[in-house]
Amino acid sequence: AQTLPTTFTHPGTGIVFNTWGASTAQTQGGFRLGMALPSNALTTDANEFIGYLECSSTKNGANSGWCGVSLRGAMTNSLLITAWPADGEVYTALQFATGYAMPKNYGGDAKITQIASSVNATHFTLVFRCQNCLSWDQDGVTGSISTSAQGTMFGWVQAFPSPGNPTCPTQITLSQHDNGMGQWYAAFDSNIANPSYTAWAAKATKTVT
Ligand code: HEM
C-alpha cells in the first residue's frame, strides 16, 4: 500500500514539503519526514532534496534522543541520515550499514547543510538540504532513488538516549533504536516539486559539525 503525502508549509521558511508521518502509537512523541524536490524532479531524476525532520525527545527531555531515515527503506545498503539535538543545535550524520549493527560513516560525496532547526523540551526539527543524497556508493555498494517514479520506500527509526559524543558527528556511538521503526512506500504528489526549489536551496548556508 502507498502512504499518501500530506502537504506541509514550514512556517519559518515557507518551504512546501510532501510529508509522511508515524503516529504516537507507533513512536512516542510521533515522527514526521518531509521532502521537497527540484521543479523538474517528477520527470527527471534529481540527486538532491530539501528534507524536513520532526523528531521526538519525549522521554529524556530537551536535547535527548535521535531519529534516523533510510532513503531506501531498509537499514542496510542505504544512505542513512541520523539526526539528534545537542546544546540547542540539531546535528546530523550521513551513515551506511551493511548489517544490523552500528553504521559506519558514509564515504561518498553527499553533503548536508541546514536551513532552519528548532529544539524544545519534547521535539526537535530540522530543515536541511541534502546534496548528492539520492544516489550512493559505499565501497562499491550502490543504490539510488528515482524521483521520476513519483514515490519511494523510506524507513524511519527513533531512539530515546542521546548518541555518545553528540557534538562530534563523525564519532558518535549509538545503541539500537528503541522508540519504534517503520517503512512507508511514500507516494509523491505535485506539491513536492516546486519552482522555488533553487531559491530555497540557496538558504542552506549553515553547517553544524
Ligand atoms: C532495523 C539494529 C542504527 C535504521 C533494525 C533491526 C536491527 C537494527 C536489529 C531489525 C529489527 C527488527 O526487525 O526487529 C541497529 C543497531 C544500530 C542501528 C544495532 C546502531 C547501533 C540504525 C540507524 C538507522 C537505522 C542509525 C537510520 C539512520 C533502521 C531501519 C530499520 C532498522 C529503517 C527498519 C528496516 C529494516 O528492518 O531494515 N536495526 N540499528 N538503524 N534500522 Fe537499525
Side-chain angles (χ1 to χ4, degrees), residues 86-178:
D87 294 341
E89 297 281 358
V90 177
Y91 288 78
T92 56
L94 288 162
Q95 300 183 307
F96 203 92
T98 52
Y100 288 94
M102 177 67 202
K104 295 192 163 46
N105 292 323
Y106 178 60
D109 61 358
K111 179 179 155 192
I112 286 179
T113 42
Q114 300 194 3
I115 299 172
S117 66
S118 71
V119 177
N120 70 22
T122 58
H123 289 85
F124 57 101
T125 70
L126 181 65
V127 178
F128 62 101
R129 182 184 190 185
C130 202
Q131 290 170 272
N132 299 322
C133 289
L134 298 181
S135 60
W136 51 87
D137 182 344
Q138 177 87 331
D139 303 326
V141 181
T142 59
S144 61
I145 287 179
S146 169
T147 60
S148 62
Q150 306 193 4
T152 193
M153 194 71 111
F154 289 128
W156 63 268
V157 296
Q158 288 204 112
F160 294 119
S162 294
N165 304 323
T167 58
C168 192
T170 58
Q171 292 181 40
I172 55 165
T173 56
L174 301 171
S175 301
Q176 185 173 337
H177 30 86
D178 59 356

Side-chain angles (χ1 to χ4, degrees), residues 66-70 72-76 79-83 93 95 97 99-103 154-157 172-177 181-183:
W66 60 271
C67 63
V69 171
S70 159
R72 79 165 195 115
M75 175 172 160
T76 51
L79 186 58
L80 302 174
I81 300 170
T82 307
Q95 300 183 307
Y100 288 94
M102 177 67 202
F154 289 128
W156 63 268
V157 296
I172 55 165
T173 56
L174 301 171
S175 301
Q176 185 173 337
H177 30 86
M181 63 182 178
Q183 290 176 311

